[in-house]
Amino acid sequence: MGSGRVAVRVGAGRRFFSVSTRRWEVLSTDELPERVHPLFSKSPAATSKLWNLTWPKEPRNILLVKKQNVPFVRTAMIELAKHIKNTYPKTNIILEPAVAHSTHHEFSFPVYTLPPPPASTPFPYTQSTYPRTPGDLINPYHTKTDLLVTLGGDGTILHAASLFSTSRQVPPVLSFAMGTLGFLGEWRWNEFVEAVRVVFEGAGRVLRRERLKVGVYDRDGKRVGGDWGEVQGIGDAHAMNEVNIHRGKDPHLAIVEVFVDGRFLTEGVADGMIISTPTGSTAYSLSSGGSIIHPSVSSLLITPICPRSLSFRPLVLPADSVLTLKLSERNRSDEVEVNVDGRRWGGIGRGEEIRVWSEDMRKEGGWGGIPCVRGGKGGGDDGWVGGLNGLLKFNHPFGEDE
């Protein structure tokens, strides 16, 4: 923090003048008030797929997550933080640790970040998507964040959602498309003043995107964690896009037994298997030949990755189905990789399995899913059609100019 004093040399002596102190501070999220939980109500329009967002009291703690190593995004984040603080002085700005320590000198107000982990805890909050700490050590993001704001592309939104992968309630997500694709980004950057006003004044509408819950089980049916050392009692991890198992660097195809609600469906021989949400249907699953599903269609999509059999096609199943992918005892390699939203979670060996099901979208204590604040681009009710046409170039003729 600056000393608040300026030295001025006059003649042979020195004179000091007091000036206002700049608040070059990074404070702990422990000092913040507890999280304000929003309220959601169904839009009166019978055909609307969106929900109305209101607040019991004005949101106070705003977590900003930006795309890394892009100068103009860094500049935009600083501008946005200053705008929020100037317009709503009671707000507190939360940044990820590395961002907070590299940008705090740009602000005339303190910023907040995660406290250092206890000395007895070998895994800090920020090293991985999933918690690696005892169950009584709660991730401060989960208890302090009222509103989550992202500046970047779809990868930035996935990263931000992963910070709440073990939280039962994800705060509303206000996303600005500033990346390469931006299929999930609801707002353009030049709309940021309007976007902030809409959210703070309770005039926002949200599209609630489903999440997957995933657990890993050994050959005896006992729940285990991934390679990152989860402890008992943390609950299941959540995924915004997909969970997949993959042969990884092993040259042999994976042999995977697929079960639906405990009943054997098929044995797949492929590079791997993807189970995705409707949101994730336009990600890895789409690249592997899966169907495109509207995000408001409650469902699960299972897609084989380069299957040996050409008749093994993607399947769309009800959201209340429980899908089990079990590595066959006849698999030639010892294990396959398990990835959640593009990040390695661990591996499963022969006879072990992952179980995947949809998160309950309305449960005791609050709403499930990821509430994404609707933006102005794309037209229509939820922007999905505009996204298909404008970003994925759906059925765009070959050789035709833009």
Side-chain angles (χ1 to χ4, degrees):
M1 186 173 71
S3 64
R5 300 177 66 86
V6 177
V8 179
R9 183 175 297 274
V10 180
R14 298 182 58 159
R15 296 173 57 194
F16 292 89
F17 298 89
S18 296
V19 296
S20 60
T21 302
R22 295 191 66 179
R23 302 288 298 280
W24 292 349
E25 294 180 291
V26 179
L27 304 179
S28 169
T29 51
D30 289 343
E31 301 182 25
L32 294 174
E34 290 300 300
R35 173 179 176 180
V36 176
H37 291 275
L39 303 174
F40 300 107
S41 59
K42 192 64 177 176
S43 176
T47 59
S48 177
K49 307 174 184 68
L50 306 180
W51 297 76
N52 297 320
L53 167 67
T54 56
W55 301 90
K57 58 182 179 179
E58 188 174 281
R60 297 278 297 277
N61 306 328
I62 317 300
L63 172 59
L64 304 184
V65 177
K66 75 174 186 68
K67 185 175 183 178
Q68 295 182 358
N69 303 319
V70 181
F72 85 88
V73 175
R74 179 184 186 275
T75 301
M77 184 210 70
I78 293 171
E79 182 180 358
L80 178 61
K82 291 179 178 178
H83 169 74
I84 293 175
K85 189 67 176 179
N86 290 336
T87 309
Y88 305 94
K90 294 182 179 180
T91 54
N92 306 298
I93 303 298
I94 308 173
L95 302 175
E96 294 186 274
V99 178
H101 290 289
S102 65
T103 62
H104 69 91
H105 61 280
E106 301 277 358
F107 304 111
S108 59
F109 49 85
V111 296
Y112 295 81
T113 195
L114 295 177
S120 60
T121 302
F123 307 112
Y125 303 114
T126 54
Q127 281 190 346
S128 73
T129 299
Y130 302 98
R132 309 169 77 176
T133 54
D136 58 353
L137 190 59
I138 300 175
N139 189 326
Y141 286 142
H142 300 176
T143 58
K144 301 296 185 179
T145 306
D146 302 340
L147 175 68
L148 176 58
V149 181
T150 68
L151 299 96
D154 293 353
T156 306
I157 297 175
L158 284 176
H159 167 66
S162 75
L163 300 176
F164 296 85
S165 64
T166 56
S167 175
R168 295 179 179 177
Q169 287 182 283
V170 181
V173 180
L174 176 62
S175 56
F176 294 97
M178 305 179 73
T180 345
L181 182 59
F183 189 76
L184 301 179
E186 291 284 356
W187 295 82
R188 299 185 182 93
W189 169 241
N190 59 12
E191 300 173 311
F192 79 90
V193 174
E194 173 66 10
V196 170
R197 183 195 65 79
V198 163
V199 172
F200 274 80
E201 294 183 6
R205 296 192 302 164
V206 301
L207 177 65
R208 293 170 50 237
R209 297 180 179 271
E210 292 184 0
R211 295 191 297 177
L212 296 176
K213 296 176 67 176
V214 54
V216 178
Y217 296 79
D218 63 18
R219 59 178 62 244
D220 297 322
K222 180 182 178 182
R223 191 190 190 287
V224 295
D227 287 346
W228 291 345
E230 286 84 352
V231 296
Q232 288 184 325
I234 66 166
D236 297 289
H238 296 82
M240 182 177 184
N241 265 4
E242 80 277 313
V243 55
N244 74 76
I245 62 175
H246 195 278
R247 64 183 178 88
K249 62 182 179 181
D250 193 277
H252 307 294
L253 295 177
I255 304 176
V256 182
E257 299 171 3
V258 183
F259 298 81
V260 179
D261 294 329
R263 299 183 62 184
F264 178 73
L265 173 67
T266 188
E267 180 182 80
V269 182
D271 280 351
M273 299 282 182
I274 304 168
I275 300 177
S276 72
T277 62
T279 295
S281 70
T282 53
Y284 191 10
S285 175
L286 179 61
S287 299
S288 300
S291 301
I292 298 175
I293 303 177
H294 192 283
S296 67
V297 177
S298 187
S299 57
L300 293 173
L301 174 62
I302 180 168
T303 307
I305 306 172
C306 299
R308 184 177 65 183
S309 171
L310 298 182
S311 63
F312 190 178
R313 308 307 300 163
L315 297 174
V316 180
L317 299 170
D320 59 359
S321 301
V322 178
L323 298 182
T324 301
L325 302 180
K326 181 178 182 179
L327 189 62
S328 172
E329 297 284 1
R330 299 188 296 107
N331 197 70
R332 296 180 65 179
S333 61
D334 292 333
E335 70 170 25
V336 292
E337 294 182 0
V338 178
N339 299 285
V340 178
D341 279 346
R343 299 183 63 178
R344 179 181 169 86
W345 192 33
I348 57 171
R350 298 186 190 96
E352 297 180 336
E353 63 191 34
I354 62 170
R355 299 176 192 172
V356 183
W357 59 100
S358 285
E359 179 185 19
D360 186 357
M361 290 293 281
R362 183 171 186 176
K363 50 197 172 185
E364 184 179 355
W367 295 91
I370 301 177
C372 299
V373 181
R374 175 72 176 91
K377 70 173 186 176
D381 193 34
D382 56 26
W384 183 78
V385 173
L388 284 185
N389 290 325
L391 296 171
L392 295 187
K393 310 298 181 187
F394 186 69
N395 197 33
H396 192 73
F398 291 111
E400 185 172 300
D401 293 335
E402 295 288 339

